[in-house]
C-alpha cells in the first residue's frame, strides 16, 4: 500500500486522534504521525524506499524531509574523513565538514561547470578519503561521473554526489544519466525537479547492507525526529510519476517546445535541456533589469547571479507555459536591449 493511500484510508476510518500533530487533522487531514498500533509508517515507508532505489538503479534509498542538505551532511558524517569538494559546492557541504570536524580541499574553478577528474587528482593526499561532487551544477552542467567513479575506486575514495538538481535524470533519453547508479552516495532533491513538495529529497547509496545501515544512522542524526509523511508521500508519488511513460512523453514535448526558444537567445550550451541559462552579457543586457522586466511580464526566474538568469522547466510545464515564457522574454528583451 502506498503512503498516500494509507493516509487517505486513515482519514476515512474516523479514528479519534489522541496523538500529534496538534491540529488533529484540521489543517490537513492527511498530516499524521507514527501510529502506536504499528500499522504506520514502517511497512509503507520501507516498501516505498525500496521501489525508489530500484527506480534510480541504486541499492538503498532513504526519504528525507529536510532536503538534500540533510543527506549531504549525513554522507559527510558517514565518511568520517577529510575530503575533496567542488569550489562551487552548496553550503551544506562545508556545513557538513564543520559538523563532522573534518577538513576539505576545494578544487576547480568558480563558475558554471563542475570539477573534473584532473581537479580531483590535483588534491589527492594521505588524509583524503572522500570526494564530494556537485553534478549537475546550478547551471545544468554535469560532471564526468564515470571517470570520477573510476578515480575514486582506484584510490579507495568514497564518491559522494550532490545531485540535488538532478532528481529528474534517467527518466528520459533526452536527459543525462543519473549519478544515483554510479556514485557510492547520491543526494537528490525531488522537490526541485519532480512532482514533490518543498523540502522532500532522497539519499541513494550503493553500499553494502551493513554500511548502508551506518549511513542511515547518520541520516537520522542530521534529520528530524518528526518527519512529515506528507513529504514522504509526495516523494513516492513524484518518483512513480517520473518513471511513468507518460512523463517520458512529456519531456519529449517539452524538449520540442523549448528548442526553438533556445535557438533565439544566447542560452548556455549545458547538459540539461530543462534548465535554460541566459547569458545576459552576450545579449548585451543588464541582468537585474532584464529579470525585473520579466517579473513585470509575469515570469519569475529560478536564479540570477549578475551574469546569468536561470529558468527551470519540468515535466509539469506544458507547451502553453513555454509559449508564455517566449512571449515574455521577447517583450523583456525589447525593453532592456537597445
Amino acid at each position: 500500500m502506498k503512503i498516500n493511500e494509507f493516509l487517505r484510508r486513515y482519514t476515512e476510518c474516523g479514528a479519534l486522534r489522541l496523538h500529534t500533530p496538534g491540529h488533529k487533522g484540521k489543517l490537513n487531514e492527511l498530516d499524521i504521525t507514527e501510529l502506536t498500533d504499528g500499522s504506520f509508517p514502517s511497512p509503507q515507508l520501507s516498501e516505498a524506499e525500496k521501489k525508489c532505489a530500484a527506480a534510480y538503479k541504486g541499492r538503498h534509498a532513504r526519504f528525507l524531509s529536510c532536503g538534500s542538505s540533510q543527506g549531504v551532511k549525513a554522507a559527510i558524517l558517514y565518511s568520517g574523513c577529510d575530503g575533496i569538494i567542488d569550489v562551487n559546492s552548496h553550503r551544506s557541504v562545508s556545513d557538513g565538514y564543520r559538523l563532522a570536524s573534518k577538513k576539505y580541499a576545494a578544487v576547480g574553478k568558480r563558475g558554471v561547470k563542475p570539477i573534473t577528474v584532473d581537479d580531483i587528482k590535483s588534491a589527492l593526499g594521505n588524509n583524503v578519503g572522500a570526494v564530494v561532487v556537485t553534478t549537475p551544477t546550478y547551471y545544468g552542467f554535469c560532471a564526468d561521473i564515470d571517470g570520477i567513479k573510476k578515480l575514486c575506486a582506484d584510490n579507495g575514495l568514497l564518491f559522494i554526489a550532490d545531485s540535488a538538481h538532478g532528481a529528474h535524470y534517467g527518466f528520459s533519453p533526452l536527459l543525462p544519466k543519473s549519478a544515483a547508479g554510479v556514485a557510492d552516495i547520491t543526494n537528490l532533491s525531488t522537490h526541485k525537479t519532480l512532482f514533490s513538495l518543498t523540502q522532500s529529497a532522497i539519499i541513494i547509496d550503493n553500499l553494502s547492507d551493513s554500511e548502508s545501515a551506518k549511513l542511515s544512522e547518520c541520516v537520522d542524526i542530521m534529520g528530524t525526529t518528526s518527519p512529515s509523511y506528507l513529504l514522504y508521500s509526495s516523494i513516492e508519488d513524484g518518483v512513480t510519476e517520473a518513471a511513468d511513460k507518460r512523463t517520458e512523453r512529456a519531456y519529449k514535448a517539452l524538449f520540442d517546445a523549448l528548442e526553438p526558444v533556445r535557438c533565439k537567445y544566447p542560452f548556455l550550451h549545458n547538459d540539461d535541456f530543462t534548465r535554460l541559462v541566459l547569458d545576459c552579457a552576450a545579449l548585451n543586457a543588464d541582468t537585474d533589469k532584464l529579470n525585473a522586466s520579466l517579473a513585470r511580464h509575469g515570469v519569475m526566474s529560478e536564479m540570477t547571479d549578475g551574469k546569468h538568469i536561470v529558468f527551470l522547466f519540468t515535466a509539469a510545464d506544458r507547451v502553453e507555459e513555454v509559449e508564455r515564457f517566449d512571449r515574455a522574454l521577447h517583450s523583456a528583451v525589447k525593453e532592456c536591449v537597445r
Side-chain angles (χ1 to χ4, degrees):
M1 185 187 304
K2 294 180 67 176
I3 297 172
N4 187 56
E5 184 181 352
F6 182 92
L7 296 179
R8 293 193 179 281
R9 287 192 180 185
Y10 183 70
T11 64
E12 294 167 358
C13 77
L16 180 61
R17 300 188 183 196
L18 300 183
H19 56 71
T20 60
H23 62 76
K24 303 302 180 79
K26 301 299 191 299
L27 285 176
N28 189 315
E29 63 181 7
L30 301 182
D31 184 21
I32 69 169
T33 186
E34 297 86 358
L35 300 180
T36 54
D37 68 350
S39 63
F40 184 79
S42 182
Q44 296 80 16
L45 183 56
S46 59
E47 184 63 27
E49 289 174 335
K50 287 178 183 176
K51 290 181 179 178
C52 177
Y56 281 104
K57 297 180 174 58
R59 292 199 63 186
H60 312 93
R62 276 288 306 270
F63 288 178
L64 311 174
S65 58
C66 298
S68 279
S69 294
Q70 176 187 354
V72 169
K73 294 171 190 175
I76 291 169
L77 180 63
Y78 163 79
S79 74
C81 57
D82 294 345
I84 299 169
I85 73 169
D86 192 321
V87 70
N88 298 300
S89 292
H90 186 263
R91 63 164 290 179
S92 60
V93 177
S94 57
D95 287 348
Y97 277 102
R98 184 179 179 186
L99 289 168
S101 298
K102 298 297 178 181
K103 298 177 181 179
Y104 62 84
V107 301
K109 297 179 180 179
R110 293 203 175 275
V112 301
K113 295 186 177 181
I115 58 175
T116 66
V117 171
D118 288 339
D119 290 331
I120 297 169
K121 286 180 178 179
S122 70
L124 291 177
N126 294 331
N127 295 324
V128 172
V131 176
V132 184
V133 178
T134 304
T135 181
T137 67
Y138 218 120
Y139 304 88
F141 288 94
C142 298
D144 176 10
I145 54 175
D146 292 321
I148 293 173
K149 173 62 178 178
K150 184 178 186 308
L151 176 67
C152 289
D154 290 345
N155 289 274
L157 304 174
L158 185 72
F159 179 12
I160 301 170
D162 177 5
S163 194
H165 293 272
H168 56 310
Y169 287 5
F171 294 116
S172 165
L174 297 169
L175 293 166
K177 179 170 68 174
S178 175
V182 179
D184 296 306
I185 304 172
T186 302
N187 286 283
L188 305 163
S189 287
T190 51
H191 74 92
K192 294 186 185 297
T193 57
L194 299 186
F195 289 66
S196 185
L197 294 172
T198 297
Q199 275 188 223
S200 58
I202 316 167
I203 186 169
I204 306 278
D205 76 71
N206 292 294
L207 307 171
S208 67
D209 291 349
S210 59
E211 289 303 309
S212 183
K214 294 177 183 177
L215 172 62
S216 193
E217 291 176 1
C218 296
V219 169
D220 290 337
I221 290 172
M222 291 299 177
T224 174
T225 56
S226 301
S228 167
Y229 294 105
L230 281 175
L231 296 188
Y232 286 176
S233 173
S234 77
I235 295 171
E236 181 181 22
D237 290 344
V239 174
T240 300
E241 182 82 14
D244 191 282
K245 284 294 181 183
R246 289 173 295 181
T247 300
E248 184 177 328
R249 291 194 292 270
Y251 279 124
K252 178 61 169 65
L254 184 62
F255 177 88
D256 291 342
L258 284 173
E259 196 60 18
V261 182
R262 294 179 73 100
C263 294
K264 289 183 185 179
Y265 303 98
F267 292 107
L268 299 187
H269 297 290
N270 58 11
D271 300 307
D272 185 350
F273 80 89
T274 68
R275 191 169 291 255
L276 271 60
V277 183
L278 188 64
D279 184 344
C280 295
L283 195 59
N284 197 27
D286 181 278
T287 305
D288 293 336
K289 289 181 179 179
L290 183 57
N291 191 61
S293 179
L294 282 164
R296 288 194 297 272
H297 286 282
V299 171
M300 304 301 293
S301 62
E302 166 69 10
M303 183 194 75
T304 68
D305 65 1
K307 297 179 180 179
H308 310 91
I309 306 177
V310 179
F311 306 98
L312 176 61
F313 288 85
T314 74
D317 291 298
R318 297 294 179 258
V319 173
E320 292 78 8
E321 279 80 47
V322 177
E323 292 172 345
R324 181 180 174 186
F325 168 69
D326 190 15
R327 291 192 300 270
L329 184 55
H330 175 77
S331 297
V333 168
K334 282 184 65 177
E335 291 177 6
C336 300
V337 179
R338 303 298 179 188

